[in-house]
Amino acid sequence: MIDDNKSFYERLEKQLSESSKWPSLYRFKFIVKSETKKIEELKSVFADIKNIEISSRTSRNNKFTSFSFTAKMKSPIIIIKKYKLASKIEGIISL
């Protein structure tokens, strides 16, 4: 599993490096349970980024909330660091 994650992040870094000039706008998308703790954990991952646009939408049954974070990111490496931090949140889904 760890090797799968490592190769996933390596491929992602390569794709991002080849597809955009950096710094560039990037949109992160996640789904978490609609629990205050989970939502605050996710928001804290992006607390250090200035001028970030955050949008959210709660599911019809209020069990889940989807988030989009859009910001100018300096490099693919920073994007991957954010994904790795977010992946520590129990039950998160990265899109």
Side-chain angles (χ1 to χ4, degrees), residues 42-60:
L42 180 57
K43 287 182 177 180
S44 73
V45 169
F46 296 93
D48 63 327
I49 299 176
K50 295 178 182 173
N51 300 320
I52 191 164
E53 180 184 314
I54 303 171
S55 61
S56 64
R57 184 174 179 195
T58 307
S59 65
R60 199 173 308 158

Side-chain angles (χ1 to χ4, degrees), residues 25-28 49 51-55 68-72:
L25 276 179
Y26 188 80
R27 178 174 292 144
F28 297 86
I49 299 176
N51 300 320
I52 191 164
E53 180 184 314
I54 303 171
S55 61
S68 293
F69 298 86
T70 306
K72 187 173 253 187

Side-chain angles (χ1 to χ4, degrees), residues 9-28 49 69-83:
Y9 289 124
E10 288 172 351
R11 282 192 317 272
L12 178 61
E13 181 180 354
K14 183 178 179 191
Q15 289 171 345
L16 290 171
S17 295
E18 293 173 354
S19 67
S20 299
K21 290 186 179 181
W22 298 96
S24 185
L25 276 179
Y26 188 80
R27 178 174 292 144
F28 297 86
I49 299 176
F69 298 86
T70 306
K72 187 173 253 187
M73 302 301 291
K74 293 180 182 179
S75 72
I77 292 169
I78 295 171
I79 291 170
I80 290 166
K81 285 181 182 178
K82 293 298 179 187
Y83 275 118

